[in-house]
Amino acid sequence: LPGRTMLTSEGSVNRSTHLVKINGRYRLITPIEAERLQDFPDNWTRYKKTSTGEIVEVSDRMRMFFMGNALVTGVVKRIADELQNLL
């Protein structure tokens, strides 16, 4: 089933937090699950480049923020394809 809209607050627990229920217990989704919901490859958000050019690993909380700030790439592509078909 489709997931709800992800927000930049995904790294915290609030009323919009995505949870998964397994064997009667709830847990937060992982960064990889968030990437999959947003149609990004696994570990897409694992690293970032600093202002000095260094590549560093980011926290899970920041990875969730990244996904809350993203568009679902597959949906954007389908919209673009349909617009292209109109031309």
Side-chain angles (χ1 to χ4, degrees), residues 65-83:
F65 174 85
F66 291 156
M67 286 296 91
N69 209 31
L71 295 172
V72 182
T73 56
V75 172
V76 174
K77 182 178 181 333
R78 285 189 62 189
I79 292 169
D81 290 344
E82 289 301 316
L83 289 173

Side-chain angles (χ1 to χ4, degrees), residues 29-45:
I29 64 172
T30 66
I32 288 177
E33 290 168 332
E35 291 165 341
R36 290 174 181 172
L37 277 172
Q38 296 289 73
D39 206 27
F40 282 85
D42 289 2
N43 290 310
W44 181 259
T45 60

Side-chain angles (χ1 to χ4, degrees), residues 14-79:
N14 59 58
R15 63 184 176 85
S16 66
T17 301
H18 284 78
L19 300 170
V20 176
K21 186 176 182 181
I22 298 176
N23 297 325
R25 297 186 66 172
Y26 289 95
R27 68 166 176 81
L28 298 172
I29 64 172
T30 66
I32 288 177
E33 290 168 332
E35 291 165 341
R36 290 174 181 172
L37 277 172
Q38 296 289 73
D39 206 27
F40 282 85
D42 289 2
N43 290 310
W44 181 259
T45 60
R46 189 171 180 181
Y47 300 98
K48 72 174 184 175
K49 186 185 279 190
T50 66
S51 59
T52 63
E54 181 184 10
I55 304 295
V56 297
E57 193 166 349
V58 299
S59 68
D60 284 354
R61 184 174 181 156
M62 183 58 70
R63 292 177 71 184
M64 297 300 282
F65 174 85
F66 291 156
M67 286 296 91
N69 209 31
L71 295 172
V72 182
T73 56
V75 172
V76 174
K77 182 178 181 333
R78 285 189 62 189
I79 292 169

